[in-house]
Amino acid sequence: MFTTSIADVDRIAISGAQKLELERGKEDWKMLVPKDFGAAVSSSSVQSFLDLVRNVKGTEIVSDNKEQLVKYHLDRPGVTLRLHRSQEPKDYELKISDAKNDKDQNVYMMSSDSSGILKGVPSNFETINKVAFDFTDKHRPFAFGTADVGTIDISSSMLNASLKKNANSWENTDSKDKRTVNTSKVDEFIENFNHLEAKELLKTKAPALRNQIIVNDSSRKLLFKMNWSEPIEDKNAPAALKKVSRSVYVLTNKLNDPVVLTFSQIEGLGLKNLFKNLDPVQFSGSPPPVQKSQGASLDQHLPPESK
């Protein structure tokens, strides 16, 4: 339906599950709406979206009369897409009805390029009905300059430790701590943050995020801070999958709102490998207690220095 070039699209507006506006900058795309969106936009995700828009097609023309909006649920479309281009034709609009509003679960579409109203497929609606998180760089909230790391402070139900880099090795900052630091595993631990990927954005109230990792450079300047909750089971998951489907709510200094990770991602960081001679009391190896959401304020439960 979108027959013109996407190369010159410089602004995208979507009104559906969420109101979004994105604008192409000199190098990257930027999120204009919502204004308080804290995550970085992934330009490759935006480009992939535009490529998908090119493939949105109707299956048949159901009416040559664009005035029959009410009949085909396009007077109040489920989602509306508007694209602005620097070249003519400058503006493109696509409206798609929500299948749940039709007794036969059909989807109907109307665009600037169509001569009438077309019947579509449900995937057309899903392709366009995006939220801000769909356009984010899901790795960037966890990325930091690993080469500059000087100290690591960990306070969690899994492990407590304060580490400092000395030349090419890592050591305890607490002289009373007799555990031997495994330098190679600390280096792996730092690198593992680059492999974390947010699963979804959490816009509701979160339970306590009492676990914390603070990473500073050698001058104690903050590089990265992450707070996370205890694992939360998915009540709807099959019994056999409850353990592997546990979620963790995470907030970093690069986000305005918490994101959701799996608990296996937190385990994969390698906290239990940071020391060569872990005492069972210092790290039991048993999973932390499963937490249930209390519906409490996120800010209310962050450690004082995280608020």
Side-chain angles (χ1 to χ4, degrees):
M1 296 178 72
F2 184 49
T3 57
T4 53
S5 173
I6 62 173
D8 299 318
V9 172
D10 54 21
R11 187 179 286 255
I12 301 169
I14 303 173
S15 296
Q18 187 178 12
K19 187 174 181 179
L20 305 177
E21 286 187 27
L22 298 101
E23 184 177 62
R24 188 197 297 269
K26 291 183 178 179
E27 298 180 0
D28 299 309
W29 283 85
K30 302 183 185 304
M31 188 76 67
L32 301 182
V33 177
K35 291 182 179 180
D36 61 348
F37 189 68
V41 174
S42 167
S43 293
S44 61
S45 296
V46 178
Q47 187 60 46
S48 296
F49 170 75
L50 290 173
D51 290 337
L52 289 172
V53 171
R54 289 294 304 272
N55 295 321
V56 172
K57 294 178 174 61
T59 56
E60 62 178 298
I61 297 177
V62 295
S63 176
D64 292 325
N65 184 1
K66 282 191 173 184
E67 300 301 318
Q68 292 186 310
L69 300 182
V70 176
K71 179 179 179 180
Y72 294 103
H73 316 293
L74 290 170
D75 56 325
R76 295 181 179 179
V79 61
T80 299
L81 168 70
R82 294 182 179 86
L83 303 178
H84 182 272
R85 300 173 65 243
S86 56
Q87 304 294 325
E88 294 291 343
K90 289 186 176 294
D91 296 302
Y92 170 81
E93 183 178 76
L94 171 64
K95 295 181 178 181
I96 304 180
S97 68
D98 192 335
K100 68 181 183 182
N101 294 327
D102 188 80
K103 65 178 182 179
D104 297 320
Q105 299 295 295
N106 290 320
V107 168
Y108 300 99
M109 307 183 295
M110 181 176 67
S111 77
S112 306
D113 291 350
S114 62
S115 57
I117 296 174
L118 294 89
K119 185 178 179 180
V121 293
S123 61
N124 296 147
F125 178 81
E126 295 161 7
T127 295
I128 305 301
N129 194 32
K130 300 297 184 183
V131 295
F133 190 72
D134 294 321
F135 297 108
T136 62
D137 183 334
K138 296 171 181 61
H139 292 282
R140 197 177 297 187
F142 311 101
F144 56 92
T146 56
D148 302 323
V149 176
T151 65
I152 303 173
D153 294 297
I154 303 167
S155 175
S156 75
S157 58
M158 299 175 71
L159 184 75
N160 292 291
S162 292
L163 308 176
K164 181 179 180 180
K165 193 167 189 179
N166 184 8
N168 294 320
S169 64
W170 285 89
E171 60 185 29
N172 282 316
T173 59
D174 184 358
S175 59
K176 297 180 181 180
D177 191 339
K178 302 305 180 183
R179 294 174 296 182
T180 302
V181 180
N182 191 333
T183 292
S184 64
K185 293 300 182 181
V186 175
D187 291 337
E188 287 182 15
F189 170 74
I190 295 169
E191 186 61 35
N192 285 340
F193 281 93
N194 290 319
H195 303 301
L196 288 180
E197 180 178 345
K199 300 303 180 184
E200 60 182 297
L201 190 67
L202 183 72
K203 294 296 289 185
T204 59
K205 293 180 179 179
L209 306 183
R210 295 192 180 95
N211 301 293
Q212 184 180 75
I213 292 174
I214 297 177
V215 180
N216 295 319
D217 65 13
S218 56
S219 66
R220 301 293 297 186
K221 180 180 179 181
L222 180 67
L223 292 176
F224 178 72
K225 180 165 64 175
M226 184 175 89
N227 289 79
W228 72 97
S229 69
E230 300 298 351
I232 300 167
E233 286 186 354
D234 181 357
K235 295 181 179 179
N236 298 319
L241 297 178
K242 279 191 180 295
K243 185 173 181 179
V244 297
S245 64
R246 290 180 297 174
S247 298
V248 174
Y249 299 151
V250 177
L251 185 66
T252 77
N253 58 310
K254 301 184 180 185
L255 290 166
N256 288 342
D257 296 293
V259 293
V260 179
L261 274 67
T262 62
F263 181 60
S264 61
Q265 289 178 290
I266 299 297
E267 290 182 308
L269 291 173
L271 280 166
K272 66 180 181 180
N273 300 322
L274 299 183
F275 296 96
K276 294 179 180 179
N277 55 341
L278 277 179
D279 186 284
V281 175
Q282 296 162 335
F283 186 87
S284 64
S286 60
V290 174
Q291 185 170 331
K292 294 183 179 180
S293 175
Q294 302 296 319
S297 165
L298 168 66
D299 184 67
Q300 183 180 0
H301 291 293
L302 283 174
E305 64 273 19
S306 299
K307 293 184 179 181

